[in-house]
Amino acid sequence: VNVITLTTDFGTRDWFVGTMKGAILGVNPRSAIVDITHEIPPGNVRAGAFALMASRKFFPKGTVHVAVIDPGVGSARKMIAVQTRDYFFLGPDNGVLSFALEWEKIQAVHALTNESFFLQPVSRTFHGRDIFAPVAAHLSKGLPIRRFGPALKSFHRLVWPQPCVGRNEIRGEIVYIDRFGNAITNLRGDELPKRTTKNWQLHFKARRVCPVAAFYQAVPDNKAVAVVGSSGFLEIAVNGGSAAELFRLKVGDRITARWAE
Amino acid sequence: VNVITLTTDFGTRDWFVGTMKGAILGVNPRSAIVDITHEIPPGNVRAGAFALMASRKFFPKGTVHVAVIDPGVGSARKMIAVQTRDYFFLGPDNGVLSFALEWEKIQAVHALTNESFFLQPVSRTFHGRDIFAPVAAHLSKGLPIRRFGPALKSFHRLVWPQPCVGRNEIRGEIVYIDRFGNAITNLRGDELPKRTTKNWQLHFKARRVCPVAAFYQAVPDNKAVAVVGSSGFLEIAVNGGSAAELFRLKVGDRITARWAE
Amino acid sequence: VNVITLTTDFGTRDWFVGTMKGAILGVNPRSAIVDITHEIPPGNVRAGAFALMASRKFFPKGTVHVAVIDPGVGSARKMIAVQTRDYFFLGPDNGVLSFALEWEKIQAVHALTNESFFLQPVSRTFHGRDIFAPVAAHLSKGLPIRRFGPALKSFHRLVWPQPCVGRNEIRGEIVYIDRFGNAITNLRGDELPKRTTKNWQLHFKARRVCPVAAFYQAVPDNKAVAVVGSSGFLEIAVNGGSAAELFRLKVGDRITARWAE
């Protein structure tokens, strides 16, 4: 079995995702297709890049990850395939793969130009179905990546907001808000000074403060808490509620983690 | 592997679609089930018919397409199975299959009456699970269509709104609005006079006009453009925005494509 | 093929469900994963328990049912695996499995404590991915349930609201509202006195009354009707509309079914 994952902004209201799967199964009927999400806000390349980064490593080796958040579809933007030690990544060359690739050992980057693997006729508005889907299916069958187009020396990278480390604080920002209203920050749990010996607090929204704890129910109902979430990043949560709603948090908001020695 | 697609108005909030898949896997554990969409507006047979038409041909030969938008479930309405050169189609006989079937070479039409293939006891409110799912699974295993019930001479057809061709214009209407707010019309791209030699414009909403171009980013941000979309129909889009919201477009609105010689 | 079903409150906006599937496929690449629903309202254990009860029996024998509505994730709450004559059930020990288990022949109940089957490192906030997913995959491959932890004598049960039977009426309540706005009650169709010989009416919302019939279109458009729905329970529906919206029905509302002799 060959796993292919899909991350898109196509939604599930229409038939778009279904036809991508049809195109995949037409080439590789044995592939197992997994939806990461199709509800990335339309055109939000950064949100798609974050979702792919957060999910990629939970799949078996050899998985083909396809990310199509592609506001420039039909224009001259490139499409790329990237082989890493463990996975393949396919997407438009607009940075949607770049957060994930920062954590991967890259082995080859190729442009997708070999039209003999595309669904004909290729539309100008739906390369997810006509190009990425069949190429993913061929890759999942073991076709070497160089068959799909020429090697590239570089690809487009989004700038990841690096946290800023001070003497007794780290400053960062909110990078994603999930369905529960948890606000995920750019502070990685494993980059924080050892939590066992420190007394941590997270500061946000001018005067708001919350403790850093190990899980949501460590605080009473409807109280805020910062935990290292399942993606490895510190996130602001409210036990039994939505932190984003309660505190009107949004992507880009600044946060500061402080500790007492 | 045998592909079965599902197009319904059941939504994904409840367990309805899941139990259809359980019923299918109970009969044919090797089938690959693909969701086209489950978010057809409740009871909107025309929208379901359009989604099925737009997606059917992107699936491998032999695929069984199941469409259950079925406001008359439990009443005396018939249920039908249709074999075409490339596919099977299953649904209530209320027209939900008819847009797709206009493009297919029909070989046989049968009523679904043979209760030995139904899930027992058959409910009066959920034939998707109790009848269509197991019949689809049996069809996908190769059982001949005549086993499910008697041949029929005709089936219910919805009227497709035919565009009206004038000397230097074509008049049509909006037939579907997708998740991006693109308004899909009934004008097929391949029925328009050659675009390369013409200067096209699309007129809509009294005084609105937009150019016809090849892809969304052919116009500046937030500007309207008409493109031949991925389903083959001319659609009104807004680069980076929602045409349906911006211009309050809805299904049934009249549009006119005009050209200069 | 081994079927694994998923019932969660994770939504489909983020990557959570996708990574559960990745973790499953990493252990058992041949499993067929079916989504029951991921749109249980966050933390609503009763709604999840009802969805699982209503769907479980439509799956092939040997199916592994996983239900993760788990507001206590990371706290000291137990996690359990239950083997019944036909199925396996996995979930936190907060009652989410209990409505389903009332209808099953229970053969064994075990705590999930053997960390050698967990995804390492185990997060404190996402046991769906790190514990339930890999354990489900191992179960689906035939590993005996006792391998995952010690046997338990009991598990947490939610109280099912029992209807109250009078001389010529049964009193109950609304237990679930589905996507169509149908209000499902706790009155089982097969526990009502024979419908053929009785003239039934359902009373709700002080002075509202509707007939009990066999299917939705038995009443005119926009009229209320009570039918025994596809899950076997009496439900209040409106032909072509939403009963929940029209009558402002909600879970917990009292209803009474009366008959004339």
Side-chain angles (χ1 to χ4, degrees), chain A residues 1 3 32 34-37 39 50-51 54-55 58-60 176-180 184 214-217 227-231, chain C residues 9-16 18-19 21-23 25-26 29 38-40 42 71-75 119 124-126 129:
Chain A
V1 170
V3 180
V34 176
D35 302 304
I36 302 291
T37 177
E39 296 171 45
F50 192 83
S55 51
F58 296 99
F59 288 85
Y176 191 94
I177 298 201
D178 77 15
R179 109 105 160 186
F180 297 99
I184 303 178
F215 56 99
Y216 304 127
Q217 289 195 342
V227 304
V228 177
S230 60
S231 310
Chain C
D9 60 357
F10 298 159
T12 53
R13 253 192 50 185
D14 310 303
W15 55 85
F16 306 134
T19 57
K21 294 178 181 174
L25 293 169
H38 302 291
E39 296 170 44
I40 299 295
V73 61
S75 71
L119 212 63
R124 292 294 293 270
T125 58
F126 194 3
R129 179 192 70 197

Side-chain angles (χ1 to χ4, degrees), chain B:
Chain B
V1 170
N2 320 101
V3 180
I4 295 172
T5 78
L6 306 179
T7 303
T8 79
D9 60 357
F10 297 160
T12 52
R13 254 191 48 185
D14 310 303
W15 55 85
F16 306 134
V17 173
T19 57
M20 278 187 79
K21 294 178 182 176
I24 288 170
L25 292 169
V27 174
N28 183 359
R30 289 172 177 285
S31 56
I33 307 169
V34 175
D35 303 304
I36 302 291
T37 177
H38 301 291
E39 296 170 46
I40 299 295
N44 190 332
V45 175
R46 292 186 79 84
F50 191 84
L52 184 64
M53 176 185 70
S55 52
R56 77 193 190 287
K57 72 172 173 180
F58 296 98
F59 289 84
K61 287 199 179 193
T63 291
V64 180
H65 292 295
V66 182
V68 193
I69 293 92
D70 193 8
V73 62
S75 71
R77 65 90 183 84
K78 276 203 281 280
M79 291 168 285
I80 58 174
V82 181
Q83 181 168 8
T84 69
R85 196 190 55 189
D86 295 337
Y87 302 116
F88 296 94
F89 294 86
L90 292 176
D93 186 22
N94 61 10
V96 71
L97 306 179
S98 65
F99 288 170
L101 290 173
E102 286 193 27
W103 301 89
E104 297 284 322
K105 279 202 165 12
I106 296 176
Q107 298 182 333
V109 182
H110 287 256
L112 301 183
T113 57
N114 187 341
E115 299 188 9
S116 65
F117 296 109
F118 300 173
L119 212 64
Q120 297 298 344
V122 174
S123 72
R124 291 295 291 270
T125 59
F126 194 3
H127 289 176
R129 179 192 69 198
D130 300 337
I131 298 178
F132 292 114
V135 167
H138 283 292
L139 267 176
S140 78
K141 286 170 79 176
L143 220 69
I145 194 171
R146 61 186 151 70
R147 297 285 301 280
F148 300 97
L152 296 176
K153 295 225 165 100
S154 67
F155 56 89
H156 189 80
R157 287 169 193 270
L158 302 177
V159 176
W160 174 256
Q162 286 295 346
C164 182
V165 183
R167 207 175 57 81
N168 69 336
E169 63 175 36
I170 304 183
R171 292 192 303 280
E173 62 186 75
I174 292 170
V175 292
Y176 191 93
I177 298 203
D178 77 15
R179 108 105 160 184
F180 297 99
N182 298 332
I184 303 178
T185 76
N186 61 337
L187 306 191
R188 286 192 55 85
D190 54 14
E191 292 170 2
L192 301 176
K194 271 253 189 55
R195 275 163 291 155
T196 46
T197 61
K198 307 279 177 180
N199 185 13
W200 281 91
Q201 286 191 313
L202 195 76
H203 298 247
F204 59 101
K205 278 282 175 184
R207 303 195 178 171
R208 297 282 181 184
V209 185
C210 71
V212 177
F215 56 97
Y216 303 128
Q217 290 196 342
V219 295
D221 260 22
N222 293 312
K223 291 293 178 190
V225 61
V227 303
V228 176
S230 60
S231 310
F233 293 92
L234 203 63
E235 62 189 48
I236 305 171
V238 163
N239 183 13
S242 162
E245 244 175 54
L246 196 59
F247 304 117
R248 297 169 185 273
L249 300 174
K250 56 185 199 308
V251 169
D253 283 358
R254 301 306 172 94
I255 55 97
T256 303
R258 288 208 181 96
W259 62 89
E261 309 257 359

Side-chain angles (χ1 to χ4, degrees), chain A residues 19-20 22-24 26-27 70 73-81 90-92 110-139 143-150, chain B residues 58:
Chain A
T19 57
M20 278 188 78
I24 289 170
V27 173
D70 194 8
V73 61
S75 71
R77 65 92 182 81
K78 277 202 281 280
M79 293 168 283
I80 57 175
L90 291 176
H110 286 255
L112 303 184
T113 57
N114 187 341
E115 299 188 9
S116 64
F117 296 110
F118 300 173
L119 213 63
Q120 297 297 343
V122 174
S123 72
R124 292 296 292 270
T125 58
F126 194 2
H127 290 175
R129 179 193 70 197
D130 300 337
I131 298 179
F132 292 113
V135 167
H138 283 291
L139 268 177
L143 220 70
I145 193 171
R146 60 183 153 72
R147 295 287 301 280
F148 300 97
Chain B
F58 296 98

Side-chain angles (χ1 to χ4, degrees), chain A residues 70-174:
Chain A
D70 194 8
V73 61
S75 71
R77 65 92 182 81
K78 277 202 281 280
M79 293 168 283
I80 57 175
V82 181
Q83 181 168 7
T84 68
R85 197 189 55 192
D86 296 337
Y87 303 115
F88 296 94
F89 294 87
L90 291 176
D93 185 24
N94 60 12
V96 71
L97 306 180
S98 65
F99 287 170
L101 290 174
E102 287 193 26
W103 301 89
E104 296 286 320
K105 278 203 167 10
I106 296 177
Q107 298 181 333
V109 183
H110 286 255
L112 303 184
T113 57
N114 187 341
E115 299 188 9
S116 64
F117 296 110
F118 300 173
L119 213 63
Q120 297 297 343
V122 174
S123 72
R124 292 296 292 270
T125 58
F126 194 2
H127 290 175
R129 179 193 70 197
D130 300 337
I131 298 179
F132 292 113
V135 167
H138 283 291
L139 268 177
S140 78
K141 285 170 79 175
L143 220 70
I145 193 171
R146 60 183 153 72
R147 295 287 301 280
F148 300 97
L152 295 175
K153 295 225 165 100
S154 68
F155 56 89
H156 189 81
R157 286 168 193 272
L158 301 177
V159 177
W160 174 256
Q162 285 296 346
C164 181
V165 184
R167 209 175 57 81
N168 68 336
E169 64 176 36
I170 304 183
R171 292 193 302 279
E173 62 186 76
I174 293 170

